Amino acid sequence: MKPEPIVFAKAIDPRTLMVKFTNLEVKKYDISKLLDNQMFAILRNPGFFKNFTIEPGCYALVWNDEIDISEYELWQNRMSCTDEEIDRYVESIHQVVH
């Protein structure tokens, strides 16, 4: 299945992102496995982790010039959300501005 572009994203705890894709699916993504890679180690800092943008074109979450996570990675390794989680977080998720 082809990865969908990102519509919204939010850090919901120090290791988890909630992401909404263009097909309206809302899923979670756990960054824990990335933290073993030195490049992503700074994402252990909760303040830094929460400070990302959605790349123009909606194909990645970007923290700086060196750190991003592609929509492919987010899509391929996504986890299901409960309806309660979606209701709790969707209203406050970053929105892409075109």
Side-chain angles (χ1 to χ4, degrees):
M1 184 174 228
K2 180 183 173 201
E4 295 286 329
I6 302 161
V7 177
F8 303 110
K10 180 177 180 70
I12 60 171
D13 66 38
R15 297 269 195 280
T16 310
L17 297 162
M18 182 172 281
V19 182
K20 184 175 181 180
F21 298 93
T22 55
N23 67 353
L24 305 181
E25 280 193 50
V26 178
K27 300 294 181 178
K28 294 186 295 187
Y29 179 85
D30 184 346
I31 66 160
S32 296
K33 68 180 183 124
L34 298 178
L35 299 177
D36 291 336
N37 181 323
Q38 185 61 32
M39 182 177 88
F40 292 101
I42 194 166
L43 295 180
R44 289 186 178 121
N45 176 323
F48 186 84
F49 175 61
K50 291 179 181 182
N51 191 23
F52 61 85
T53 59
I54 299 172
E55 174 189 61
C58 307
Y59 291 103
L61 301 181
V62 179
W63 282 264
N64 61 28
D65 290 341
E66 298 173 3
I67 301 173
D68 62 45
I69 302 175
S70 72
E71 94 289 358
Y72 181 83
E73 172 64 20
L74 295 166
W75 182 257
Q76 288 299 114
N77 294 297
R78 66 197 188 275
M79 301 177 297
S80 295
C81 295
T82 65
D83 289 341
E84 180 181 276
E85 287 173 317
I86 293 169
D87 290 344
R88 181 174 175 193
Y89 294 109
V90 158
E91 292 303 316
S92 63
I93 293 178
H94 291 108
Q95 184 169 3
V96 177
V97 178
H98 294 282

